[in-house]
Structures are given as C-alpha cells and as structure tokens.
Amino acid sequence: MVLDVARTILLPKQLKADASQSQGVVACAAPAKPVNPVMTLLPLTGAAIATATLMYPVDVLRALKMSSAGSKDAISIGEYYKKFGWRGFVSKGVVPEIAKSSLMRVSKFFFFPIMCDKLHGVKPKEATVLQKATAGALATVPEIVLISPLEVAKLGIQLDTENRFKNNSMKFITETYKTKGFGGLYVGWAGMQWRQSFWTGTYFATLNSWKGVVEPPLVELGAPQAVAQLIAGFLAGFFATFPNAPGDVVRSVVQKKGFTDPSRPAYGISPAGVMEHITVAREIVQTSGIRGLYSGLGFKAMHLGGSGALMAVFIPFFAKVMGIPYGGV
C-alpha cells in the first residue's frame, strides 16, 4: 500500500524529469550551422596545390605533344630531354603551371555547388546528370578569365627551347604584353574555354555514376574508401578528356603560332579569336586528319584522369583535416 502511494507521487515527477532531459538532448542535437562557402576555399586550395605539384611532369609531356599537332618543326620528347634533362620535366614553367592549375581547380570546385544552387535550386548530390553538366560547364567561366595569362606564360616557357626567357614567367608575360598587348595574354582563349567547359561538365556529371560502379565491389573486397574515390575520380577525369581534347589541341597550336610569329595578331577574347581557332582546326585536319585534333591524347588522358583522381581523394582528406565540409564531390 505504502509503495503504491509512493509510486503514484514520484512517478509523474520522474517522467517529467526524463522528458526534460530528453528535450535537452534534442536541443543539443540541433542541426549544425551551414558552413560559409568561402571557407571551403581552404580545403580546395590544399587539394589543388597537391594535385598540381604531383601532375606537373605529365603536363609537360602533354604540352609537347599537343602543341606539335600539324607542325613540321615540332620538338620530340627525346630532343627535349637531351636539351634540358630530367629537370626540364619538373622545373620549366613549373611556377605558372602550379599557380594556374591550383587557381583553376579551386575556382571550378568552388563555383560548381554555387552554380547548382543558382541555376537549378538544388545541391550537387540532388542534381540530375544534365544539371551537373550545365553547372560544371558554366562554373569554368570565372577561371578562364583568371588563369589565361598564367596558361599563356606556362606554355610559352615550356616551349621556349632556346631558353630566351630563362624560365622566368614574369619576363615572358611582360614581353608578350609589350609586343602583343592585352590580347596577347588571352591568346587561345576560345580553345581554353572549350576544354574547361567540356571537361568540367563531363567530370561532375559522371563522377557519382562511376562511384556507383566502382565502390560496391571494392567495399566488398575490403578496400579503403579512398581507393574507390581514386579510381572513380580517375575514370571520370579520363573519359572527360575525349570531348575536351580538340579544343585544347587547337588552342595549343594557336598559342604556339603566336609565340613564334611576332607579326601574328593576338585576338584575345573576341569573335575573331573564335574564328582563328576554327581556321587552325581546319589546317590541322587537312594536315593530319581528325586524329590531329587528338594529338597527345594519351598523355592528356593520363594528366586529366590523374587530376580527377587526386582531387576526388584530396578534397575529402583536406576537408576532414580542416573540419570544413564540402558537398561538391
């Protein structure tokens, strides 16, 4: 009897106390405040610099092959090695390349989630393949405006077989501006915009599909998630090379012609620059056939496949280390 009375008095109080504690737990587990997109620049920068540094030697091989399309005065990789040794593959144009590639990768990965939101009103993981493709393609517009002078300097230094500029990118940029004007810093712009838009749009549109194919069997085998991310990133970057390559080959030839012919006008960002690329593309096809537009494809596919793989791994790594989540990949 006494026990029954005690239960009647104390149980409601205990239930209230439990309810209060439970509400406190719910309050503490409130959703975290969304991260300011600007903060994602930190892990993206770490990932981009690491990727650009590791992929630089492959970029030199790619540049040598692609700029030789339809050309009779091309320098072979063997001749390049005899002239500059192994240092030529890790030092010539390395500063503008790492600066350019890092800025390029940070820009595209930063603007991609923003474009998904502004264009389609969805987060990247909720977007359709077509929405990702369009958002990725348009995310490259800012980077081209930013990186073109560095891209011009990088290729100019890599192709400076007479060592006129002593591996000094600022000297090359100054000389180009002096002789060609502002348009000289944006020679090859149309081809660069083509290559960036097609590669980036294709990469983001297909990355999750490749993850869906690669991750389940690897997880069953007990492979670390980073391995699956690496392979999926490589496949997305590798296959994105095919629509990207013609624009990159043409712009490489356009830039090389501009470097070697002081009298050749530099059209920069203009309709005339687009027409120049069309003319050069026709010349390449007439000289080497359609295959000419894919000159250096092997090195390029390895370069972009490797870049896609490393970014797919390094972004989650740096995001975790820095405690700054990124939802673009």
Side-chain angles (χ1 to χ4, degrees), residues 62-69 71 74 155 159 249 252-253 256 295:
R62 176 201 63 79
L64 289 172
K65 293 295 292 183
M66 297 188 83
S67 62
S68 301
S71 175
L155 187 63
L159 299 180
V249 168
S252 296
V253 176
K256 184 179 179 182
S295 181

Side-chain angles (χ1 to χ4, degrees), residues 5-157:
V5 172
R7 286 196 190 97
T8 304
I9 295 171
L10 295 175
L11 190 56
K13 292 182 180 178
Q14 184 63 42
L15 288 172
K16 285 182 183 178
D18 291 344
S20 269
Q21 289 176 359
S22 152
Q23 287 174 359
V25 170
V26 171
C28 291
K33 186 179 179 180
V35 175
N36 186 332
V38 174
M39 294 300 295
T40 64
L41 290 171
L42 295 173
L44 292 179
T45 299
I49 292 174
T51 298
T53 302
L54 290 172
M55 295 307 301
Y56 182 72
V58 184
D59 182 70
V60 175
L61 296 170
R62 176 201 63 79
L64 289 172
K65 293 295 292 183
M66 297 188 83
S67 62
S68 301
S71 175
K72 295 179 181 178
D73 58 346
I75 181 171
S76 69
I77 292 172
E79 291 169 336
Y80 190 86
Y81 176 77
K82 285 180 182 178
K83 195 158 194 174
F84 300 108
W86 64 268
R87 291 180 182 274
F89 296 97
V90 296
S91 64
K92 279 184 70 63
V94 67
V95 173
E97 167 58 16
I98 290 179
K100 181 270 299 181
S101 291
S102 299
L103 183 60
M104 173 187 74
R105 292 183 179 107
V106 168
S107 179
K108 75 167 83 263
F109 280 87
F110 174 74
F111 282 109
F112 172 61
I114 294 174
M115 287 295 180
C116 281
D117 179 44
K118 299 302 180 186
L119 286 176
H120 309 298
V122 296
K123 294 180 179 179
K125 290 183 179 178
E126 300 165 353
T128 65
V129 170
L130 183 59
Q131 287 173 334
K132 289 177 183 177
T134 54
L138 291 175
T140 64
V141 173
E143 75 187 63
I144 289 301
V145 175
L146 293 171
I147 71 165
S148 287
L150 292 170
E151 178 71 37
V152 168
K154 182 264 298 189
L155 187 63
I157 293 297

Side-chain angles (χ1 to χ4, degrees), residues 189-268:
W189 156 78
M192 284 188 279
Q193 187 61 68
W194 170 294
R195 76 168 192 187
Q196 297 303 99
S197 293
F198 274 91
W199 187 86
T200 307
T202 306
Y203 178 81
F204 283 123
T206 61
L207 180 59
N208 277 343
S209 297
W210 285 117
K211 284 182 178 179
V213 171
V214 168
E215 285 187 4
L218 287 177
V219 168
E220 285 184 13
L221 292 172
Q225 187 179 13
V227 173
Q229 291 172 333
L230 190 74
I231 295 173
F234 179 84
L235 291 170
F238 180 90
F239 284 101
T241 305
F242 293 90
N244 153 292
D248 203 16
V249 168
V250 174
R251 74 91 196 174
S252 296
V253 176
V254 167
Q255 289 176 336
K256 184 179 179 182
K257 287 176 179 286
F259 301 154
T260 56
D261 183 0
S263 64
R264 187 181 180 88
Y267 299 108

